[in-house]
Amino acid sequence: MSPLARALVLALAAALAGAAHAERADRDKPVNIEADRMLADDAKQTVEFDGRVVMTQGTFTLRADRITVRQDKDGFQFGVATGNPATFREKRDGADEWIEGQAKRIEYDGRAQRVELFDQARVARDKDEVRGNYISYDQRGEVYRVQGAKDYRAQPARDERVRAVIQPKKKDEGAARRETPLELKGTPGLEDARQ
């Protein structure tokens, strides 16, 4: 693999893995890619992997039919993973939780520091889940945005709504026992006013 191809692939893996607060140790692990075909075009600054693509880096795994990565003249990386669906899975940093996502198309924009999932998008963490036709994660502002098909220009005929499942967080039993009951106190002067 050419130095450009290696740099682009590493950048894409780091960008997608970093999108959902992946294990920091993953960034120091090698990127492994399997595909049926690869084309690196140094003149166009692009690398394309095609056919049952599997990219792994530590706990991060991305599976797609095709992954295309390019670099612009300023050195920013852009990546597109497509599949039926394209999927990713990664372990969260400092937690025993996994983030899983899928969509027909997953895009990374290095300049805007944004990851977008298009068409039948789904992201799940533990038992929490959000679905829509479009999910965007802005890495700078740490903001998620989800839209149903009604708001998604590519398929306006579909009328899917955003769906979310958020499980209640269980309290630590030890912490619950340590909690003190709420103590109510009278307001000074209020007792005198009632008399």
Side-chain angles (χ1 to χ4, degrees):
M1 182 181 303
S2 73
L4 169 67
R6 187 173 348 162
L8 292 175
V9 169
L10 286 171
L12 176 64
L16 288 172
H21 310 292
E23 287 247 310
R24 291 182 187 174
D26 285 355
R27 296 177 189 146
D28 298 328
K29 305 260 172 84
V31 174
N32 298 297
I33 300 173
E34 296 178 17
D36 293 335
R37 292 167 297 286
M38 181 193 103
L39 173 65
D41 187 333
D42 285 342
K44 292 183 179 179
Q45 301 283 291
T46 62
V47 180
E48 185 175 292
F49 295 91
D50 193 35
R52 300 176 300 156
V53 184
V54 179
M55 178 173 28
T56 60
Q57 183 180 27
T59 66
F60 174 76
T61 301
L62 174 65
R63 296 177 186 276
D65 295 334
R66 173 178 286 172
I67 296 176
T68 304
V69 185
R70 71 176 176 85
Q71 180 171 297
D72 70 10
K73 63 182 178 174
D74 297 323
F76 291 102
Q77 287 84 23
F78 304 84
V80 178
T82 57
N84 199 13
T87 65
F88 69 88
R89 185 172 196 256
E90 65 187 348
K91 187 173 183 304
R92 285 195 60 212
D93 190 42
D96 190 24
E97 293 181 335
W98 290 82
I99 303 284
E100 296 179 344
Q102 68 179 42
K104 299 269 182 154
R105 187 173 84 240
I106 301 172
E107 293 186 8
Y108 173 71
D109 180 333
R111 184 181 294 274
Q113 294 184 5
R114 182 176 52 240
V115 177
E116 297 175 293
L117 289 79
F118 296 89
D119 200 8
Q120 299 174 13
R122 173 186 166 271
V123 175
R125 182 182 84 191
D126 198 23
K127 293 181 182 180
D128 296 342
E129 173 182 87
V130 66
R131 291 176 183 257
N133 217 40
Y134 171 79
I135 298 174
S136 173
Y137 177 64
D138 178 338
Q139 292 174 311
R140 288 182 187 152
E142 297 184 4
V143 174
Y144 281 93
R145 179 178 169 184
V146 183
Q147 293 180 334
K150 212 172 197 180
D151 298 325
Y152 181 59
R153 294 182 188 111
Q155 295 184 350
R158 296 178 69 180
D159 190 26
E160 292 182 12
R161 296 173 49 88
V162 171
R163 309 246 187 257
V165 176
I166 302 168
Q167 299 293 330
K169 302 299 178 208
K170 294 180 182 177
K171 286 186 177 182
D172 177 26
E173 289 183 7
R177 279 185 251 138
R178 289 188 301 268
E179 290 180 2
T180 57
L182 180 61
E183 184 180 327
L184 298 176
K185 296 181 180 179
T187 304
L190 185 60
E191 295 163 357
D192 297 333
R194 282 192 274 168
Q195 294 177 359

Short mmCIF file of all heavy atoms in Angstrom, two decimals, residues 105 114-121 131-137 145-149 151-152 162:
data_model
loop_
_atom_site.label_atom_id
_atom_site.label_comp_id
_atom_site.label_asym_id
_atom_site.label_seq_id
_atom_site.Cartn_x
_atom_site.Cartn_y
_atom_site.Cartn_z
N ARG A 105 -25.28 4.39 3.76
CA ARG A 105 -24.08 5.18 3.45
C ARG A 105 -23.62 5.90 4.71
O ARG A 105 -24.41 6.53 5.40
CB ARG A 105 -24.38 6.19 2.35
CG ARG A 105 -23.16 6.93 1.85
CD ARG A 105 -23.46 7.80 0.64
NE ARG A 105 -24.00 9.09 1.04
CZ ARG A 105 -25.18 9.56 0.70
NH1 ARG A 105 -26.00 8.86 -0.04
NH2 ARG A 105 -25.59 10.74 1.11
N ARG A 114 -17.30 15.89 10.91
CA ARG A 114 -18.67 15.41 11.01
C ARG A 114 -18.79 14.01 10.42
O ARG A 114 -18.20 13.71 9.38
CB ARG A 114 -19.61 16.36 10.27
CG ARG A 114 -21.07 15.98 10.36
CD ARG A 114 -21.99 17.00 9.70
NE ARG A 114 -21.58 17.31 8.34
CZ ARG A 114 -21.25 18.54 7.92
NH1 ARG A 114 -21.27 19.57 8.74
NH2 ARG A 114 -20.90 18.74 6.67
N VAL A 115 -19.53 13.15 11.10
CA VAL A 115 -19.87 11.82 10.60
C VAL A 115 -21.37 11.82 10.32
O VAL A 115 -22.16 12.27 11.16
CB VAL A 115 -19.53 10.71 11.62
CG1 VAL A 115 -19.95 9.35 11.10
CG2 VAL A 115 -18.04 10.72 11.93
N GLU A 116 -21.76 11.34 9.12
CA GLU A 116 -23.17 11.31 8.76
C GLU A 116 -23.56 9.91 8.31
O GLU A 116 -22.81 9.26 7.60
CB GLU A 116 -23.45 12.29 7.62
CG GLU A 116 -23.19 13.74 7.98
CD GLU A 116 -23.35 14.66 6.79
OE1 GLU A 116 -22.52 14.56 5.85
OE2 GLU A 116 -24.30 15.45 6.79
N LEU A 117 -24.74 9.48 8.73
CA LEU A 117 -25.29 8.19 8.33
C LEU A 117 -26.56 8.48 7.53
O LEU A 117 -27.45 9.19 8.03
CB LEU A 117 -25.62 7.32 9.54
CG LEU A 117 -24.43 6.76 10.31
CD1 LEU A 117 -23.80 7.80 11.23
CD2 LEU A 117 -24.85 5.55 11.11
N PHE A 118 -26.65 7.94 6.32
CA PHE A 118 -27.77 8.20 5.42
C PHE A 118 -28.55 6.92 5.13
O PHE A 118 -27.96 5.88 4.88
CB PHE A 118 -27.27 8.74 4.07
CG PHE A 118 -26.59 10.07 4.15
CD1 PHE A 118 -25.23 10.15 4.37
CD2 PHE A 118 -27.31 11.24 3.99
CE1 PHE A 118 -24.58 11.37 4.42
CE2 PHE A 118 -26.68 12.48 4.04
CZ PHE A 118 -25.31 12.54 4.26
N ASP A 119 -29.86 7.02 5.09
CA ASP A 119 -30.76 5.98 4.64
C ASP A 119 -30.80 4.79 5.58
O ASP A 119 -29.84 4.02 5.66
CB ASP A 119 -30.40 5.53 3.22
CG ASP A 119 -31.56 4.83 2.53
OD1 ASP A 119 -32.68 4.83 3.08
OD2 ASP A 119 -31.34 4.27 1.45
N GLN A 120 -31.88 4.66 6.31
CA GLN A 120 -32.10 3.60 7.29
C GLN A 120 -30.99 3.59 8.34
O GLN A 120 -30.41 2.56 8.65
CB GLN A 120 -32.21 2.25 6.59
CG GLN A 120 -33.37 2.19 5.64
CD GLN A 120 -33.41 0.90 4.84
OE1 GLN A 120 -32.71 -0.06 5.14
NE2 GLN A 120 -34.22 0.89 3.80
N ALA A 121 -30.71 4.76 8.89
CA ALA A 121 -29.63 4.94 9.86
C ALA A 121 -30.06 4.49 11.25
O ALA A 121 -31.21 4.67 11.65
CB ALA A 121 -29.20 6.40 9.89
N ARG A 131 -33.07 5.74 15.73
CA ARG A 131 -33.21 5.39 14.31
C ARG A 131 -33.80 6.58 13.57
O ARG A 131 -34.62 7.32 14.11
CB ARG A 131 -34.17 4.21 14.12
CG ARG A 131 -33.68 2.90 14.62
CD ARG A 131 -34.77 1.84 14.45
NE ARG A 131 -34.34 0.58 14.99
CZ ARG A 131 -33.93 -0.43 14.24
NH1 ARG A 131 -33.90 -0.32 12.94
NH2 ARG A 131 -33.54 -1.55 14.80
N GLY A 132 -33.42 6.72 12.34
CA GLY A 132 -33.97 7.75 11.48
C GLY A 132 -33.42 7.51 10.09
O GLY A 132 -32.66 6.57 9.86
N ASN A 133 -33.78 8.36 9.18
CA ASN A 133 -33.24 8.20 7.84
C ASN A 133 -31.92 8.95 7.70
O ASN A 133 -31.20 8.75 6.74
CB ASN A 133 -34.24 8.66 6.79
CG ASN A 133 -34.18 7.76 5.58
OD1 ASN A 133 -34.04 6.55 5.71
ND2 ASN A 133 -34.24 8.35 4.40
N TYR A 134 -31.61 9.80 8.69
CA TYR A 134 -30.36 10.57 8.66
C TYR A 134 -29.91 10.82 10.09
O TYR A 134 -30.69 11.27 10.92
CB TYR A 134 -30.60 11.90 7.95
CG TYR A 134 -29.44 12.87 8.04
CD1 TYR A 134 -28.33 12.74 7.21
CD2 TYR A 134 -29.47 13.91 8.96
CE1 TYR A 134 -27.28 13.63 7.30
CE2 TYR A 134 -28.42 14.81 9.04
CZ TYR A 134 -27.33 14.66 8.22
OH TYR A 134 -26.28 15.54 8.30
N ILE A 135 -28.66 10.48 10.38
CA ILE A 135 -28.06 10.77 11.68
C ILE A 135 -26.74 11.48 11.41
O ILE A 135 -25.94 11.03 10.59
CB ILE A 135 -27.81 9.50 12.50
CG1 ILE A 135 -29.13 8.78 12.79
CG2 ILE A 135 -27.08 9.83 13.81
CD1 ILE A 135 -28.97 7.43 13.47
N SER A 136 -26.52 12.58 12.11
CA SER A 136 -25.29 13.34 11.96
C SER A 136 -24.66 13.53 13.33
O SER A 136 -25.37 13.77 14.31
CB SER A 136 -25.59 14.72 11.35
OG SER A 136 -24.44 15.53 11.35
N TYR A 137 -23.33 13.41 13.40
CA TYR A 137 -22.60 13.68 14.64
C TYR A 137 -21.52 14.70 14.36
O TYR A 137 -20.62 14.47 13.57
CB TYR A 137 -21.99 12.40 15.22
CG TYR A 137 -21.18 12.67 16.47
CD1 TYR A 137 -21.79 13.15 17.62
CD2 TYR A 137 -19.81 12.47 16.49
CE1 TYR A 137 -21.06 13.41 18.76
CE2 TYR A 137 -19.07 12.73 17.64
CZ TYR A 137 -19.70 13.20 18.76
OH TYR A 137 -18.97 13.47 19.89
N ARG A 145 -27.73 14.86 15.53
CA ARG A 145 -28.94 15.33 14.88
C ARG A 145 -29.55 14.14 14.15
O ARG A 145 -28.85 13.41 13.45
CB ARG A 145 -28.60 16.43 13.88
CG ARG A 145 -29.78 16.98 13.15
CD ARG A 145 -29.34 18.09 12.24
NE ARG A 145 -30.42 18.44 11.36
CZ ARG A 145 -30.33 19.32 10.41
NH1 ARG A 145 -29.19 19.95 10.21
NH2 ARG A 145 -31.34 19.58 9.65
N VAL A 146 -30.85 13.93 14.32
CA VAL A 146 -31.53 12.81 13.69
C VAL A 146 -32.76 13.34 12.98
O VAL A 146 -33.49 14.16 13.53
CB VAL A 146 -31.95 11.74 14.74
CG1 VAL A 146 -32.58 10.54 14.06
CG2 VAL A 146 -30.75 11.32 15.59
N GLN A 147 -32.98 12.86 11.76
CA GLN A 147 -34.15 13.27 10.99
C GLN A 147 -34.86 12.04 10.44
O GLN A 147 -34.22 11.05 10.09
CB GLN A 147 -33.76 14.16 9.81
CG GLN A 147 -33.21 15.50 10.22
CD GLN A 147 -32.83 16.36 9.03
OE1 GLN A 147 -32.54 15.85 7.97
NE2 GLN A 147 -32.83 17.65 9.22
N GLY A 148 -36.18 12.15 10.35
CA GLY A 148 -36.97 11.11 9.70
C GLY A 148 -36.95 11.34 8.20
O GLY A 148 -36.40 12.32 7.69
N ALA A 149 -37.57 10.46 7.47
CA ALA A 149 -37.54 10.53 6.01
C ALA A 149 -38.25 11.76 5.48
O ALA A 149 -37.93 12.26 4.41
CB ALA A 149 -38.16 9.27 5.41
N ASP A 151 -37.96 14.73 6.43
CA ASP A 151 -37.00 15.82 6.34
C ASP A 151 -35.81 15.49 5.44
O ASP A 151 -34.96 16.32 5.21
CB ASP A 151 -36.46 16.16 7.72
CG ASP A 151 -37.55 16.61 8.66
OD1 ASP A 151 -38.48 17.28 8.20
OD2 ASP A 151 -37.45 16.26 9.83
N TYR A 152 -35.74 14.27 4.98
CA TYR A 152 -34.57 13.82 4.23
C TYR A 152 -34.85 13.95 2.74
O TYR A 152 -35.74 13.31 2.20
CB TYR A 152 -34.25 12.37 4.63
CG TYR A 152 -33.04 11.79 3.96
CD1 TYR A 152 -31.80 12.38 4.10
CD2 TYR A 152 -33.16 10.66 3.19
CE1 TYR A 152 -30.70 11.84 3.49
CE2 TYR A 152 -32.06 10.10 2.57
CZ TYR A 152 -30.84 10.70 2.72
OH TYR A 152 -29.75 10.16 2.11
N VAL A 162 -38.48 9.63 13.36
CA VAL A 162 -37.34 9.32 14.22
C VAL A 162 -37.85 8.46 15.36
O VAL A 162 -38.92 8.72 15.91
CB VAL A 162 -36.71 10.62 14.77
CG1 VAL A 162 -35.67 10.32 15.83
CG2 VAL A 162 -36.13 11.46 13.65
#
